[in-house]
Amino acid sequence: MASSKGNRVFVWIILILLFVGLIGFGATGLTGHATRLGSVDGKEIDTQTYANALQSRIRALESQTGEPMSIARAQQIGLDRAVLGQIVTERVLDAEAEELGLSVGDAAVRDQVLAISAFQGLNGSFDRDAYRDALQRNGLTVAEFEQSLREGEARALLQSAVAGGVGASDTHVAAMIDFMMSRRDITWAPVTLASAPAPAADDGRPRVILPEILLEAEIPAPTEAEIEARYAAAPEAYTAPEIREISYAWLRPEDVAADIEISEDEVRALYEQRISEYVQEERRLVERLVYPDEETAAEALARLEAGEAAFEDLVEARGLSLEAVDLGDVAKGDLDAAAEPVFAAQAGDVVGPVETGLGPALFRVNAVLAAEEVSFEEAAPDLRDELARARARREIERRTQEITDLIAGGAALEDLAERAGMELGSIDWSEGATGGIADYAPFRDAAAQVEEGDFPELLGFEDGGVFAIRLDGVTPPALRPLDEVRDEVIADVEAETRARLRAERAEELAARIAAGESFEAVGLAPRDADNLTRRSFVEGTGPGFIREVFAMEDGEVRVIGGDGFSAVVRLDAMAPPAEDDAGVTAERQAIEQRLGTGLAQDIYAAFANAVQSDTEIRIDDAAVQAVHSSFR
């Protein structure tokens, strides 16, 4: 359900993305002299806001992928348009909130400013100088930033007014719970071609034997007529794909990095910067159980030492969980007075009582983590390679404009190889091709779309490399001769025969079970699977098995088949969701939240679109391009 708390969280997420992620940029910002990107109903959109938001989104994607992203790549995936659209929508809502008279007081803005960690000093209190410096580095004034906070809060009020209190209907939730969490009990058995009825034993009880009626390996060889019929019936299976003859020129970071010299000082500086990753002191995995006084703590320790209680019992007696008392892995400096006894203990020991800032406590040592140190000499090759690749990516970005200018001037791929140091190559490419440049998704996308006569275009890879391609020719799809694919056709005919015989056998056995015989009596080894839901998976079955089970009627016997799989299944029982099941309760809560949130977002989006359709929006394309140029 949408709530004011949820709205406030949404506002904070936007603010963090737009501001905190940008700390560290130079005072001139990213936008040069242009300051106005456009306007929405008279409310200006400044270039710095767009630049900051775009940079933040690029950084967020880089942190997710672990690879740098150029502005060209960001534009290719539409990131710039998405960011600009979001900013325009926000300004539309700002204008609407202003027209409705929605605003917040100075106290609310002050509370937000004081809560941002980037503005706090070493002692954790608000640092006005840090506040002004951080804003200046992002091209913002105090008034501009605080106005953005005020407008964000007003948007949150507007969202709460439009979509607050929206929730999923009980009927909708109940229907989804019934669909997802209803249960089925089945008896099932896989069927092979060797499955056969079992004759009765001497005592009258059926015994399971599997006479080798027709083993998988004994499928008769197909006749020439069957081979030709299969070949004629499925020509697409034996057709060679379209082959696209492509020339390419590409420039990779590793190729550029090979010519880059990294000094020892640079490598050592990076090592020192990451020293905490390479040099880790001895640590302990520790749990801490705090007591109100030392006497109570000592009594608990005595019970533990006497074997009257386990540490888990002591935790439970305090009304806590193990997660609540877990400190994780700690160093000596993290424990104050408890450091010496804890680090003198062995794994499994409980020490104390030790006086802490929270009161006397017992500490259990769960594991001893030895000190680790990766020397500079060991780390240096990887660090040198990382620095070289980072510098190579920057060098490629620098060369990008030069290469683009060469292409615009009519340079062929061969010219790019000669004049820009790009690697020249060619490939006979088809869907599914791998190896070399074909391993890159951007190349595969471009290769599938390029047409003969297209002018080369410089495109980017996720790792910072760039490439351009040219289509030299196309060999259309062609049916391969039968003699060339004979082995494939024979294998397909045998597979079809095997599947048909197995399915026929399964249908025969299913009919007998439906008539009252047991699984054992017809030569099958049954397996039980109870309390299945639509999210269950039955080991040994194929895709779609559960879906078929939930399409069955109570008591029905059915053959469920798939790729190389057939099974006889009997539905033994149907049951509604177990209301006392914690999983059902959790699923109900998740559905209510998901549906409520989605409905609220849809309502708010519809409202924003309606407002935007009646709003005058002006965007200066030249200013937008100036921002993009500043990223290069």
Side-chain angles (χ1 to χ4, degrees):
M1 179 176 294
S3 65
S4 59
K5 180 178 180 181
N7 298 331
R8 189 176 296 274
V9 169
F10 173 78
V11 172
W12 273 103
I13 291 173
I14 296 300
L15 290 174
I16 290 171
L17 286 175
L18 294 183
F19 179 75
V20 177
L22 276 261
I23 297 299
F25 273 89
T28 58
L30 297 172
T31 61
H33 299 293
T35 61
R36 187 174 181 274
L37 197 74
S39 65
V40 175
D41 229 10
K43 280 189 168 294
E44 288 194 357
I45 302 175
D46 64 87
T47 52
Q48 193 67 48
T49 297
Y50 174 59
N52 287 359
L54 182 56
Q55 181 69 43
S56 181
R57 288 288 294 275
I58 289 175
R59 281 192 168 187
L61 282 177
E62 288 177 338
S63 67
Q64 292 174 14
T65 62
E67 297 289 346
M69 175 174 288
S70 66
I71 184 61
R73 177 59 178 159
Q75 289 177 282
Q76 186 179 17
I77 65 175
L79 189 64
D80 59 324
R81 296 187 296 276
V83 170
L84 182 58
Q86 178 182 339
I87 291 175
V88 168
T89 299
E90 288 178 358
R91 294 307 277 165
V92 167
L93 296 174
D94 289 341
E96 181 69 10
E98 182 178 286
E99 184 175 342
L100 295 173
L102 295 177
S103 185
V104 296
D106 293 339
V109 175
R110 176 182 178 277
D111 291 343
Q112 289 194 49
V113 171
L114 295 181
I116 296 177
S117 59
F119 304 149
Q120 296 173 0
L122 296 177
N123 60 358
S125 61
F126 177 71
D127 186 327
R128 182 166 295 277
D129 290 335
Y131 178 42
R132 294 183 184 278
D133 290 344
L135 293 179
Q136 185 178 22
R137 286 197 301 272
N138 286 275
L140 297 170
T141 66
V142 170
E144 289 170 342
F145 179 66
E146 292 181 357
Q147 179 62 20
S148 71
L149 295 180
R150 195 183 307 276
E151 289 174 339
E153 282 291 291
R155 286 197 303 272
L157 290 174
L158 182 59
Q159 181 178 10
S160 180
V162 172
V166 174
S169 72
D170 293 341
T171 302
H172 193 174
V173 173
M176 291 194 67
I177 285 292
D178 183 66
F179 179 81
M180 297 173 63
M181 304 302 290
S182 59
R183 296 165 291 159
R184 300 291 188 271
D185 295 346
I186 64 170
T187 301
W188 73 283
V191 176
T192 67
L193 294 181
S195 301
D202 295 339
D203 58 3
R205 299 173 59 189
R207 59 189 172 91
V208 177
I209 60 173
L210 303 176
E212 306 301 314
I213 293 179
L214 185 61
L215 295 177
E216 300 283 343
E218 295 177 348
I219 297 296
T223 64
E224 187 64 24
E226 289 175 325
I227 293 173
E228 292 177 356
R230 167 66 188 183
Y231 178 73
E236 67 281 353
Y238 313 111
T239 297
E242 177 185 84
I243 302 297
R244 300 172 73 85
E245 300 160 19
I246 292 176
S247 295
Y248 61 84
W250 65 331
L251 189 60
R252 298 177 295 174
E254 53 264 41
D255 296 332
V256 178
D259 298 327
I260 294 177
E261 293 292 333
I262 303 296
S263 70
E264 191 81 0
D265 290 343
E266 291 176 285
V267 179
R268 187 168 293 278
L270 183 57
Y271 177 81
E272 294 298 334
Q273 179 183 333
R274 299 182 180 174
I275 194 66
S276 60
E277 299 178 20
Y278 297 113
V279 180
Q280 296 187 2
E281 60 183 306
E282 185 178 355
R283 304 175 75 81
R284 297 287 189 272
L285 294 179
V286 175
E287 292 165 328
R288 178 185 62 193
L289 183 57
V290 179
Y291 284 89
D293 54 66
E294 188 167 350
E295 181 180 355
T296 306
E299 290 175 356
L301 181 61
R303 291 184 60 211
L304 187 69
E305 293 175 341
E308 298 175 1
F311 187 79
E312 289 79 5
D313 298 326
L314 300 181
V315 172
E316 185 177 352
R318 294 283 295 147
L320 301 170
S321 65
L322 290 175
E323 290 79 9
V325 301
D326 185 17
L327 295 182
D329 60 296
V330 295
K332 272 191 175 182
D334 300 324
L335 294 177
D336 298 327
E340 290 302 325
V342 166
F343 275 77
Q346 301 300 314
D349 290 351
V350 177
V351 299
V354 179
E355 190 64 38
T356 70
L358 300 175
L362 302 181
F363 291 81
R364 179 167 71 171
V365 180
N366 290 315
V368 175
L369 305 179
E372 295 182 2
E373 180 174 352
V374 178
S375 68
F376 171 74
E377 289 71 21
E378 293 174 302
D382 288 339
L383 293 175
R384 180 174 285 105
D385 182 64
E386 180 182 338
L387 287 168
R389 284 175 176 266
R391 190 172 297 174
R393 287 191 291 268
R394 291 195 295 271
E395 173 63 17
I396 290 174
E397 288 183 7
R398 187 189 67 78
R399 294 192 203 174
T400 295
Q401 188 59 52
E402 173 191 345
I403 297 171
T404 301
D405 290 342
L406 287 173
I407 292 174
L413 299 185
E414 291 76 9
D415 299 323
L416 298 182
E418 180 180 347
R419 299 169 61 181
M422 301 180 75
E423 177 185 337
L424 186 66
S426 62
I427 181 174
D428 290 339
W429 182 85
S430 62
E431 290 287 347
T434 58
I437 197 170
D439 289 336
Y440 292 83
F443 172 82
R444 295 195 298 270
D445 293 341
Q449 297 171 16
V450 66
E451 299 292 341
E452 289 189 74
D454 286 353
F455 288 103
E457 178 184 0
L458 191 66
L459 303 170
F461 291 131
E462 293 86 347
D463 62 1
V466 293
F467 72 101
I469 66 174
R470 179 183 67 221
L471 181 62
D472 297 326
V474 176
T475 301
L479 180 64
R480 294 179 290 171
L482 176 57
D483 288 343
E484 183 181 322
V485 296
R486 179 173 293 274
D487 289 345
E488 294 179 37
V489 178
I490 291 174
D492 291 341
V493 173
E494 291 179 344
E496 288 180 348
T497 302
R498 189 177 295 111
R500 176 177 55 80
L501 293 175
R502 185 170 52 242
E504 290 173 356
R505 183 67 181 152
E507 291 291 350
E508 175 191 342
L509 299 178
R512 295 175 59 184
I513 293 172
E517 293 188 59
S518 68
F519 278 78
E520 293 86 354
V522 301
L524 296 177
R527 310 175 188 182
D528 293 329
D530 297 335
N531 288 319
L532 299 176
T533 70
R534 281 183 167 84
R535 289 182 173 175
S536 300
F537 174 75
V538 179
E539 187 69 31
T541 65
F545 182 83
I546 289 294
R547 183 175 62 251
E548 289 271 1
V549 166
F550 274 82
M552 295 173 65
E553 300 293 335
D554 194 9
E556 180 184 351
V557 179
R558 178 182 294 193
V559 174
I560 298 179
D563 186 14
F565 168 83
S566 290
V568 175
V569 182
R570 183 181 65 209
L571 181 58
D572 297 325
M574 305 170 65
E579 293 299 332
D580 58 346
D581 186 345
V584 174
T585 302
E587 186 65 37
R588 186 185 302 278
Q589 293 173 347
I591 290 173
E592 288 175 347
Q593 181 177 6
R594 187 166 59 249
L595 291 177
T597 301
L599 186 57
Q601 289 175 344
D602 290 344
I603 291 173
Y604 191 58
F607 170 76
N609 289 336
V611 173
Q612 187 164 329
S613 65
D614 294 330
T615 303
E616 182 183 13
I617 300 171
R618 296 179 181 274
I619 300 296
D620 185 344
D621 291 335
V624 173
Q625 292 306 316
V627 173
H628 295 168
S629 297
S630 69
F631 279 78
R632 296 190 172 94

